[in-house]
Amino acid sequence: MNNLSRTDITGTVLEIQRWSVSDGPGSRTVIFLKGCPLHCPWCANPESQDRRVQMAIFSTRCVRCGACVRECPENVAIPAAEGAFGTDNCTGCGNCIRSCHGGARSWMGEEMTAGEVVDLVKKDMVFYRKSSGGVTFSGGEPLTHPQFLGEIINRCMDLGIHTAVETCGYFDWKAAEKTIAMLDFIMFDLKHMDEATHKRLTGVSNRLILENILKISSFGIPMVIRIPVIPGVNDDEHNIRATAVFVRDHLPQAIGIEALAYHRLGVNKYQALGIEYPLGHIEPPSDSRMAALRKLITDTGVPSITADNDYDAQLVRSRLKSTPKHLTKDGPDNAQT
Amino acid sequence: MNTMAAERVTDRRQTPEPTVSGARRKALMEQFRKAKPAICMERTLAFTNSHKQTEGQPVILRRAKAFRAVCESITVRIFDHELVVGTLGNGHRLGVLCPEMSWSWLKEEIDTITSRKAEPYQFTDENKKLFVEEIVPYWRGQSLEEFCLERMPEDHKNIGIGTGIMDTEMKWRSGVGEITPDHQDILFVKGYSGIKNEALDQLRQLDNLSRENQEKRDFYRSMIEIAEAMITLGKRYSTLAESLAENCSDPVRKKELLTIARTCSNVPANAPASFIEGLQMVFFVQLGCLLAESSPAFNVGRFDQFMFPLYQADIEAGRLDRAEALEQIECLWIKLSEIFWLLTENGAKYYAGYCGFQNLTLGGRKRNGRDATNEVSYLALEATANVGLHQPSVSVSIHPETPDEFLIEVCRLARRGNGMPAIHNDIIATQMMMYKGLPPDQARDWNGLGCVVPSTRKVSEWTYAGQYNMAACLEWALNRGKSRKTGQQFGLETKDPATFTSFDDLLESFYGQVKKLIKTGYETTIIQQLVHQESVPRPFFSAMVEGCMESGKDLTRGGAKYNAGPGWVVVGCADTANGLAAIKKIVFDQKKTTMAELCSALDNNFEGFEELRQLLVNSPKFGNDDDYVDNLQVELADFSDREFRQYRDVLGLPFHSAIMGLTFNIPTGNSLGALPCGRFAGVPLAEGSSPHPGTDISGPTACIKSLGKMNHENQPGGTLLNLKFLPKAVEGERGLYGLSALIRAYFELGGYHVQFNVVDARKLLDAQLHPEKYGSFVVRVAGYCAIFTECTKEVQNEIIRRTEHCAL
Ligand code: SF4
Ligand code: SF4
């Protein structure tokens, strides 16, 4: 690491995941940033909600050596096997993590400089080239780190790396505007169209989100709208149709809607953080239910994006900066073939 | 063929309604599943009886005559629904014994062979009696095995037999195998009558009977015997098909039988004149290979290249449509799965799953550098997906101009989760062949051999002379040459590790051990090559490789136009690199422990040293794009190459190195104590050049980057990367593009081979518990395919254990 990147602007990175084929066009490196203004109970990355670095505890890896207990200056650490950890007296000195031989304790999140992030992103250049892929920023809400993000994207632009963001749409427009303008691709979550329900579910109103999406749309950046389908929460036909109609009528820039089936793969993360899983009773939607909802979307006149969609065709379009197609019945779906 | 476009005779997306339904495939598969693998003694008996009558004659001629006696006498059988026919004797799924190579193993295992866990064979009491009373007495003292063991010095035997440190069993107990018939320039051009006529011509041209010419005369006479043998075998099938047709009441089947009769009256005697004749020719030759010497790696070669002209001619003449061609290919695939290489109990443990390593290559480039993909390439992929059995071992060759469409189809097949096909980098394979000494145009025409070895129909070589356990050398460097498991002094008595003051001290001791082990390996191979030359020349194979007919010399004596030196396989490369990196980091960089403490931790298999073990486990591991350890892996591979290259074989050719390897990682791991990478005693080692299972935790791109740093070109016996995915990670069209981009990227980085296991661990665990639910569930085991439920538990666990790259 050179000195220049040491003095870089920093941000809290939760995780960097290499080789994802489902977070934007081509093969991608996904950068998860910490901190989210929403608190959705179905969140698969609960460790991303808090902006601060947190400690995770993996009980099965604990070898009960007691090193953490011995090394903790505050006398608050307990062996991972003996339960979750979440004490306010912890100063975050990290002694217990460094001394843990079992790898049972780790920080969730790390302060990184933009330079460090880009160095990691660069490692997979050959894979982006071969797949027309790039880097995707996820979270948390990446656009709540507009400066940090802007710096990384700037450097990626210099390197010719395609950039995309996964956003919940809840961020300060003024602060994020410049950063957004540099993006090549946007994946925008619309969780519920009804303001009251949205507030009940996520803790915030959707008004800012809808305002932001309209503003983004005016930038002409290719965009996919994502709906996390949570049975019994937002999967009623009324909501799905309302979302599709909104997309059809107001977002000419959108390539389509990607309905994502809720999954429970985040469960063990809740355990590691010592939080109870709030959606214990909800089953993931069936394939047939998902198919029905996707049909509803296409019936409204909006293409439904699935793993079988050719993202790459859209990427080529975004590179050529061609005028996006309006979402008429013979819109992008046919244009792809 | 003039244009590339013309090689797609039909557009697959616009295939008209299929003319065949797949019912034949289903019926054949049903027959296949019902048939139990068995040992047939017909070949053994005929071969032995012939030898009784030819005592005193030149060895090569005796072997050729014995082969002819086999082809004239074994039972010929045609089963219902078959379009491609032939068996190794009286039965359906058969293997044959070559007592001239080794009989002792079967004698020892005679009581367990039908009941053993891994690959049991049916073996009738009558056959057992025949074997003990007729076969064994004749070959006692006369087999390749006995000749080799008699010549090997005690030291070499102590370290090289049954130790898991060095192994050459496939060359002292079995024929060489490892060859690709030259269909393109020999068999599909002149057939066996052509070969016979050439031999007759050559005989006539011998103007004097000098010593050299006497040997040539023996050789040409052998060629005639071989050709007659194959011609006879074909004629016998033709006659059988005709008589079956006569008594057949079903008019459809009758017609098919008459076609079979016609086909077998033309091939293998003559060049095949139609697509089906080409397929039948291929199968007759595969039968001949196994009857001549029951060994692994008789490759079909570049199937799409030599079959395409026949396909095109039939299509254009309206004699064949695409669906029929597909059905015919499927028939061949099932036949290739029926015949197998007989395994010892030990071999069966590690070469899992009735596997013959009949490698078949698709795609690649032509000699003029143009892309060689054609319609038959696609048909072959489709047949492989439809049949879903473990043979042939399909390889594909990918180069920058391979059509994306083909690569996507390759990925679609790979994603089915049975580990096929093996995906190779055409460019690197070509360079490997050049490193083995072939000129560029020949090198470009390479084909896959066995599991992942680049070879060609033009070359004669021992691609797998043996394997050595590199991690053992690390163990010895840390234990003054002694095995941690048994205490035996296998290696050099190097310095006391407690006295190492730098990493270089360790490297010096370690490389000293490697040098010594490699030298022992080299000497062992020389002994074995000499015995092969003297006692088991290869007339059958000499007939199908260019150069032998011209030179009048057998393959074992360098008769082929191109020869390459023997290849030795490194096992445990990643474990060694990881171990060295861990010591470098923990002992010398961070000074968190001492050499003495480390050695006692290893002595105690880490019992009481868990904290130290964790430090070792968490130090850099190969497969995570970390130069700290990746550099060591590269250095180790390069060292192995340099060491072998300095030695010459009996023909004066340089040895070479490889990092591939079947399931060698299991016995080699078994022989070792704890290793400084944090691995416990007895645990299997890394597979080929892949990372150690479970230690590549940074995702497939990091793993590929690590592998990409190696000089694959200087491991011309092949390198192997096994990536396992859960289905979720590669679903949809996106998943296919993702996989294809991974392949393109790995190959751009200079990687040679990659294969994918796309399975979910639960399915594998279930298959382990309920084999009956997964009849022919095929999983690629380290470079070749086997039926999962027919693998031993150890191999099954190994498959499950491999890192699961999962991008959920
Ligand atoms: S981070 Fe420091 S204060 Fe907190 S538990 Fe660990 S050792 Fe104690
Ligand atoms: S240091 Fe780690 S392994 Fe040891 S008791 Fe604490 S959590 Fe468990």
Side-chain angles (χ1 to χ4, degrees), chain B residues 437-676:
Chain B
L438 272 91
D441 59 332
Q442 301 288 359
R444 186 180 270 170
D445 192 27
W446 75 280
N447 60 263
L449 177 149
C451 52
V452 297
V453 186
S455 186
T456 125
R457 59 198 158 99
K458 297 293 181 190
V459 77
S460 165
E461 57 178 336
W462 284 21
T463 63
Y464 168 68
Q467 49 147 323
Y468 77 101
N469 185 342
M470 192 180 246
C473 298
L474 180 57
E475 174 165 296
W476 300 341
L478 297 171
N479 203 28
R480 311 198 67 185
K482 284 203 185 86
S483 157
R484 259 213 173 80
K485 190 174 171 190
T486 65
Q488 276 166 286
Q489 183 78 40
F490 283 133
L492 294 170
E493 207 176 320
T494 41
K495 272 202 286 189
D496 179 353
T499 67
F500 294 166
T501 55
S502 69
F503 185 58
D504 284 342
D505 282 352
L506 167 62
L507 282 185
E508 193 190 310
S509 286
F510 166 71
Y511 281 132
Q513 302 285 4
V514 181
K515 272 175 189 268
K516 188 200 163 214
L517 189 57
I518 286 180
K519 180 164 169 284
T520 310
Y522 142 73
E523 290 165 352
T524 307
T525 296
I526 295 291
I527 292 166
Q528 294 168 355
Q529 283 188 319
L530 286 172
V531 178
H532 274 262
Q533 272 190 347
E534 289 159 12
S535 54
V536 285
R538 315 179 72 191
F540 176 80
F541 302 96
S542 299
M544 60 193 202
V545 176
E546 187 182 330
C548 295
M549 189 62 84
E550 295 74 12
S551 63
K553 270 202 275 185
D554 181 74
L555 286 175
T556 55
R557 301 192 177 254
K561 189 165 171 195
Y562 299 102
N563 292 280
W568 268 79
V569 173
V570 186
V571 188
C573 198
D575 305 272
T576 311
N578 290 345
L580 289 170
I583 297 177
K584 188 172 179 215
K585 181 136 223 159
I586 306 301
V587 179
F588 296 110
D589 288 2
Q590 302 184 337
K591 306 204 178 0
K592 287 195 176 165
T593 185
T594 61
M595 285 305 300
E597 194 195 6
L598 175 74
C599 290
S600 61
L602 297 178
D603 285 340
N604 290 295
N605 196 19
F606 296 117
E607 226 163 277
F609 293 88
E610 184 55 26
E611 291 185 33
L612 173 57
R613 195 182 86 86
Q614 288 301 332
L615 286 174
L616 299 169
V617 166
N618 292 315
S619 50
K621 294 281 178 280
F622 179 69
N624 297 289
D625 197 7
D626 180 349
D627 286 346
Y628 193 92
V629 55
D630 294 355
N631 287 345
L632 282 164
Q633 168 107 351
V634 176
E635 198 180 312
L636 294 176
D638 290 353
F639 185 85
S640 185
D641 161 57
R642 278 198 305 278
E643 237 2 75
F644 275 116
R645 284 299 273 198
Q646 62 177 314
Y647 295 116
R648 295 286 178 274
D649 78 348
V650 291
L651 298 175
L653 300 157
F655 279 64
H656 63 258
S657 173
I659 318 186
M660 41 108 179
L662 318 173
T663 41
F664 302 151
N665 58 327
I666 300 172
T668 47
N670 204 14
S671 73
L672 296 180
L675 286 176

Side-chain angles (χ1 to χ4, degrees), chain A residues 55 71-74 76-77 85 90-96 105 107:
Chain A
M55 193 184 299
E71 299 295 325
C72 176
E74 307 298 323
V76 290
F85 176 82
C90 169
T91 59
C93 70
N95 280 1
C96 60
R105 321 173 75 90
W107 288 129

